[in-house]
Amino acid sequence: MPYTVVMNEKKRYPFCFSTLMLILFWAGLLLALAGFALTVWRFAAFLADGAPSPYGWAQYAILFFIAVFLAALLASILIRSQYVIGDKFITLQLGFLRIRYPLKDLKHIHHFRGSNKLALYFEGEKPSYAAVVIQSSLFEGFVRELLARCPSADFSFSTPEEEDEEKKK
């Protein structure tokens, strides 16, 4: 059986968080869990007093909801943040949040070698760009996959010297 490349497979590239962002996410997750624990403790005292107020019930329901929502959001971002390249879209998944960019609007891919960043430029109803935050060792595979699925897109790179010249202007 001959080897064939299946284009309708989705390629996944994990998001690469900086150390500072990881620290902030973990701190936020710990604060959300601490908020949940504090709310449980205060809710127990509220129940011990006979649960006198309907406003208290609403207050604790809202506090529980906020703590659980923030913990779920931050945990999902830490667990499942990635770029997914499909047939029609490139999707940035940050937990259960998703941002989709149509591949038909992708016009240019640029690798800034001086700062080691990768940028995607889109045209369409709203011209925009997206900075790709993945490990630099995955850049080549990411670009190859995008160009295979969107051959109309251009690719370029700039050297550190060119970037320094551009900054001086």
Side-chain angles (χ1 to χ4, degrees):
M1 177 174 228
Y3 175 77
T4 57
V5 176
V6 180
M7 287 301 285
N8 59 7
E9 283 185 16
K10 293 183 178 181
K11 295 288 187 173
R12 299 172 189 281
Y13 296 88
F15 198 88
C16 184
F17 291 109
S18 68
T19 304
L20 177 62
M21 288 303 296
L22 286 173
I23 290 169
L24 291 175
F25 279 128
W26 280 107
L29 186 59
L30 290 174
L31 285 173
L33 294 175
F36 183 82
L38 180 63
T39 303
V40 167
W41 180 62
R42 293 194 58 203
F43 184 65
F46 174 74
L47 291 177
D49 289 342
S53 164
Y55 295 112
W57 283 98
Q59 173 188 355
Y60 289 112
I62 291 169
L63 288 172
F64 278 125
F65 174 76
I66 290 171
V68 168
F69 175 77
L70 286 176
L73 176 67
L74 293 172
S76 71
I77 288 174
L78 284 169
I79 293 169
R80 190 166 180 112
S81 292
Q82 63 187 353
Y83 291 90
V84 180
I85 302 174
D87 288 335
K88 296 183 180 180
F89 296 96
I90 179 169
T91 305
L92 168 58
Q93 293 180 345
L94 292 170
F96 51 79
L97 303 174
R98 287 176 172 61
I99 303 168
R100 291 173 37 158
Y101 299 98
L103 284 177
K104 67 178 176 60
D105 292 345
L106 179 63
K107 296 300 173 202
H108 191 73
I109 305 166
H110 189 82
H111 182 193
F112 296 94
R113 289 194 174 166
S115 57
N116 206 20
K117 304 226 184 281
L118 192 61
L120 308 177
Y121 295 93
F122 297 91
E123 290 182 353
E125 292 178 20
K126 298 187 299 183
S128 62
Y129 78 96
V132 177
V133 186
I134 60 175
Q135 291 178 1
S136 58
S137 61
L138 299 174
F139 281 176
E140 184 178 343
F142 186 85
V143 170
R144 285 183 191 270
E145 187 67 31
L146 277 179
L147 291 174
R149 292 178 190 252
C150 185
S152 63
D154 297 326
F155 174 73
S156 65
F157 65 90
S158 56
T159 63
E161 294 81 22
E162 291 172 337
E163 291 173 30
D164 288 339
E165 286 296 319
E166 189 66 32
K167 287 179 185 176
K168 291 178 183 177
K169 292 181 182 180

